[in-house]
Amino acid sequence: MKNNKSKNRMYRDIQFEKIAKETGLSYSYKDEFGVINLLKDFSLFRNFSPNKITNILEDKTELYESSFRVFDFEYRLLNLDHEEVFNQTVFFVNSKKLALPHFYMEPGRLFQEVGNKTTSSGIDFERFPLFSIDYWSKNKWKDNVSDALFYYFNIGNDWTIEGVNYFMIIYKKEKIIPTTDLMEFFQKGKELVDIFSKPI
């Protein structure tokens, strides 16, 4: 089993590097520039330790106004007498075009707040009732967001999004994006950045 996992991981590493060569994206297997330090305010990275990111694909706009990255994230949880390892793929943007409150959105209704207080209260958006059923969201700007965001997610996805200031991450919980779908994932992230960047 371990050999198969190692082979699959090695194949994935090779595919990431191949995608970088084909698309002109920057690629690094290890987090050589401390990207994970930029992610410490996100709950995904704050709640799990130890953790690491690998297979980083990066694209930067002119004058470095925005930096887009896709990478694999591994974290470990200790459950009684054994350790569980989880992996998922994350899109991360650092963009001067964004000016976000700290918000969090995920499929479902229940969420755990800081201080271990469980609540099912979310934000119900009257214009998009299916959205408020499928997602709960916690943010400071309520429905003062572009309708495009709701149209984007009302189709029926299982994305989790978290934003704070100039940073935003997108991922599917405990899901690795196949390498064949990485560029589509990259594009989806960029589209979402455009939605959040447009004036309301």
Side-chain angles (χ1 to χ4, degrees):
M1 181 66 73
K2 287 186 178 180
N3 286 337
N4 287 336
K5 285 185 178 180
S6 297
K7 287 180 181 179
N8 290 338
R9 183 168 296 179
M10 186 178 298
Y11 175 78
R12 186 169 177 83
D13 299 344
I14 292 171
Q15 290 304 304
F16 262 81
E17 192 167 7
K18 181 180 178 182
I19 289 170
K21 290 178 180 178
E22 293 174 347
T23 60
L25 298 174
S26 300
Y27 170 76
S28 177
Y29 173 71
K30 294 182 178 180
D31 182 16
E32 299 175 351
F33 301 102
V35 174
I36 201 163
N37 294 324
L38 302 176
L39 301 162
K40 58 185 179 181
D41 288 331
F42 293 108
S43 58
L44 175 65
F45 299 89
R46 187 173 61 243
N47 293 339
F48 302 112
S49 181
N51 53 52
K52 68 177 181 178
I53 63 176
T54 57
N55 282 325
I56 305 165
L57 291 173
E58 182 177 13
D59 185 24
K60 293 181 178 179
T61 59
E62 292 184 13
L63 303 178
Y64 300 97
E65 184 181 49
S66 300
S67 176
F68 308 95
R69 296 180 178 93
V70 166
F71 54 80
D72 287 339
F73 172 56
E74 177 186 288
Y75 59 94
R76 299 167 184 269
L77 292 178
L78 290 175
N79 291 323
L80 298 177
D81 60 343
H82 71 284
E83 182 180 66
E84 290 187 82
V85 179
F86 298 90
N87 292 277
Q88 61 192 58
T89 310
V90 179
F91 173 89
F92 169 52
V93 59
N94 175 5
S95 177
K96 295 178 181 178
K97 295 164 59 178
L98 297 173
L100 302 170
H102 196 166
F103 76 95
Y104 184 95
M105 297 166 53
E106 75 171 5
R109 299 294 293 167
L110 295 177
F111 64 93
Q112 193 82 13
E113 287 188 299
V114 176
N116 297 322
K117 177 184 177 182
T118 303
T119 174
S120 60
S121 63
I123 297 174
D124 292 319
F125 301 92
E126 294 179 359
R127 292 171 295 156
F128 299 90
L130 290 179
F131 182 91
S132 58
I133 292 173
D134 291 338
Y135 280 83
W136 67 259
S137 55
K138 180 184 178 184
N139 57 44
K140 296 180 181 178
W141 80 126
K142 203 171 181 181
D143 59 354
N144 294 323
V145 292
S146 169
D147 285 358
L149 173 65
F150 301 103
Y151 287 120
Y152 192 81
F153 284 96
N154 228 27
I155 300 172
N157 286 311
D158 52 352
W159 301 102
T160 295
I161 311 172
E162 188 173 0
V164 55
N165 205 356
Y166 301 118
F167 299 151
M168 184 168 66
I169 59 173
I170 309 165
Y171 58 94
K172 293 187 177 183
K173 283 194 171 182
E174 300 174 15
K175 298 290 185 183
I176 286 289
I177 304 295
T179 53
T180 52
D181 298 333
L182 278 178
M183 293 312 298
E184 181 181 350
F185 180 46
F186 218 119
Q187 186 59 36
K188 185 181 291 290
K190 287 185 174 183
E191 290 172 0
L192 196 57
V193 172
D194 287 339
I195 290 173
F196 276 102
S197 301
K198 290 178 181 177
I200 300 166

